[in-house]
Amino acid sequence: MKNTIQNIAIWLLAILMLIFGLNKFFGFIPVEPPADATAQGFMGAMFTSYLYIIVAIAEITGGILLLIPKTRFMGWLILLPVIFNIVAFHIAHDFIGNGIWLLPTILFVIISYLQFNNIKKAMTYGFI
């Protein structure tokens, strides 16, 4: 049962990250600007700089690596700051927002919980 839940969470998160990463390049999902003026300024600065492309590449790369069992930990490491920043941004500026940010956050937490022993081992002894 644990493996099934873990695999479903991994596949869903990987697909979400691939879709959101590709959306940054192709714009097939419209993104509404946040209501908060500070958040709008941050998003405007991100959209007009290299940061937007870096985040897109991190989301795509992390999603792909998450799907491959041997590179799953590396995918988790790449997605860690991305998910952290998504959560921090929405809690600080756009908590109500569209709510879609909760799904990758919950999936990431589930994966982290189920992979805790592997993460702990990798942090203690080096990469798996």
Side-chain angles (χ1 to χ4, degrees):
M1 185 68 174
K2 176 182 168 183
N3 283 342
T4 304
I5 293 171
Q6 179 177 325
N7 287 335
I8 290 170
I10 287 169
W11 275 90
L12 284 175
L13 182 61
I15 290 169
L16 279 174
M17 290 294 105
L18 286 170
I19 289 171
F20 290 146
L22 290 172
N23 185 53
K24 287 177 178 50
F25 288 115
F26 301 113
F28 48 85
I29 301 172
V31 179
E32 293 182 29
D36 185 40
T38 306
Q40 287 177 357
F42 173 77
M43 294 301 283
M46 192 171 110
F47 289 151
T48 58
S49 71
Y50 68 92
L51 188 57
Y52 198 61
I53 294 169
I54 297 296
V55 171
I57 291 170
E59 288 176 351
I60 293 167
T61 305
I64 291 170
L65 292 176
L66 205 58
L67 292 174
I68 304 167
K70 292 242 182 223
T71 61
R72 189 164 288 154
F73 180 72
M74 186 61 70
W76 181 87
L77 275 179
I78 290 171
L79 290 177
L80 179 64
V82 173
I83 298 292
F84 176 81
N85 282 307
I86 290 169
V87 171
F89 172 80
H90 283 286
I91 286 176
H93 298 292
D94 195 32
F95 187 72
I96 296 171
N98 56 15
I100 192 68
W101 65 276
L102 288 171
L103 183 58
T105 303
I106 292 168
L107 291 171
F108 190 82
V109 169
I110 290 170
I111 293 167
S112 300
Y113 176 75
L114 295 175
Q115 288 284 319
F116 181 73
N117 288 333
N118 290 338
I119 293 167
K120 185 173 139 183
K121 184 170 67 172
M123 294 297 181
T124 305
Y125 299 111
F127 292 109
I128 298 173

